[in-house]
Amino acid sequence: MTIALEHTFAPAHEIKRPTAPAAPMLSVREVQVLRHWLRCDSKQTVANELFISLGTINTHLSRIRVKYAAVGREASTKSALLARALQDGHITIDEL
């Protein structure tokens, strides 16, 4: 007894390949704050290094998270922000 298997393949032009999620457009200052914060243990240290208030640090980080969420790439934790920053080339492993 033989079983015939029918194979149907979609033409190459019909295959939909997944696309990488877009990186949000971060400002120069947002990237600067993000990079400093990822390398530090304390937001207050970052605020002191950049000569801005702790509230400003929190505002930048909140806006960064909103921008990532807007493109479907949630980053609600520091480790998630680190992953996104590495994926988008804002920081490298060697810089940590």
Side-chain angles (χ1 to χ4, degrees), residues 20 26 42:
L26 302 181
S42 161

Side-chain angles (χ1 to χ4, degrees), residues 64-85:
I64 291 167
R65 286 186 171 105
V66 166
K67 287 180 180 184
Y68 272 110
V71 295
R73 298 172 68 202
E74 296 293 326
S76 59
T77 64
K78 187 173 186 176
S79 58
L81 278 174
L82 173 60
R84 301 292 181 245

Side-chain angles (χ1 to χ4, degrees), residues 19-80:
T19 57
M25 196 66 173
L26 302 181
S27 72
V28 172
R29 189 60 161 181
E30 287 170 338
V31 172
Q32 185 182 36
V33 168
L34 178 61
R35 289 170 49 87
H36 273 76
W37 185 58
L38 292 173
R39 292 184 307 211
C40 285
D41 291 331
S42 161
K43 291 179 185 176
Q44 187 60 56
T45 302
V46 176
N48 294 341
E49 289 176 0
L50 298 179
F51 304 102
I52 55 180
S53 72
L54 182 59
T56 302
I57 296 294
N58 288 326
T59 297
H60 282 301
L61 293 173
S62 293
R63 289 181 181 165
I64 291 167
R65 286 186 171 105
V66 166
K67 287 180 180 184
Y68 272 110
V71 295
R73 298 172 68 202
E74 296 293 326
S76 59
T77 64
K78 187 173 186 176
S79 58

